[in-house]
Amino acid sequence: MSSIHDMTKQNLIQISNDVVAVIAGLTASNVTGISSMSGGITEGWAKRVGGKNMSKGVTVEVGEVETIINLRVIVEFAVPIHDVCYRLQEEVKQAIENMTGLQVVEVNVKVEGVELKENARHLDIDSLENGIG
């Protein structure tokens, strides 16, 4: 005779970190004001990420029922950064909760650069401090 605990284990659904990261990355890429995701600052430059790897700039911690999302982004020049980041947090939270059933307890956003659209380049913190741009 199996117990309820045994049945719960048999019906376990696990969602990998990569799946949650891709959902977050795809959602972030569609938020107005977000220019791109950042792969992190290396040697003074923020790497712009595009193409197939939609989890770049995203790290997640996925538990059994909760998740934490960390996003590194480059924003478009002249947008209200705080408004864009708030909208980003809300849209990522909603997408992950709707698609996975996980409770999103945090969506942390780190703005690593600003994209100048007319010149198709971006400025990151190290570039600005070193007078590069």
Side-chain angles (χ1 to χ4, degrees):
M1 179 171 190
S2 65
S3 68
I4 292 175
H5 182 69
D6 291 338
M7 291 179 71
T8 302
K9 282 187 175 183
Q10 291 174 356
N11 295 319
L12 179 66
I13 297 172
Q14 291 182 313
I15 299 172
S16 78
N17 290 8
D18 291 342
V19 169
V20 174
V22 167
I23 294 168
L26 286 169
T27 302
S29 69
N30 290 316
V31 172
T32 302
I34 299 297
S35 178
S36 62
M37 302 302 289
S38 176
I41 296 186
T42 305
E43 297 175 11
W45 294 95
K47 292 182 179 178
R48 291 193 54 216
V49 180
K52 298 178 183 177
N53 193 347
M54 292 307 300
S55 64
K56 287 287 187 175
V58 181
T59 56
V60 299
E61 298 173 35
V62 179
E64 289 183 25
V65 295
E66 296 179 335
T67 186
I68 296 172
I69 313 299
N70 298 296
L71 305 168
R72 295 183 318 273
V73 299
I74 297 171
V75 298
E76 295 174 2
F77 180 73
V79 299
I81 295 173
H82 58 285
D83 290 341
V84 170
C85 290
Y86 177 75
R87 189 171 50 245
L88 173 62
Q89 290 171 315
E90 290 300 310
E91 290 188 25
V92 167
K93 180 180 190 294
Q94 183 179 18
I96 291 171
E97 287 182 347
N98 288 342
M99 292 181 72
T100 67
L102 293 168
Q103 179 185 3
V104 178
V105 294
E106 291 179 27
V107 178
N108 303 305
V109 178
K110 181 177 182 183
V111 177
E112 291 191 340
V114 177
E115 179 91 45
L116 301 175
K117 285 294 182 184
E118 64 274 6
N119 295 328
R121 59 182 198 187
H122 71 277
L123 302 174
D124 58 48
I125 295 168
D126 287 343
S127 296
L128 293 172
E129 289 174 352
N130 293 323
I132 302 169

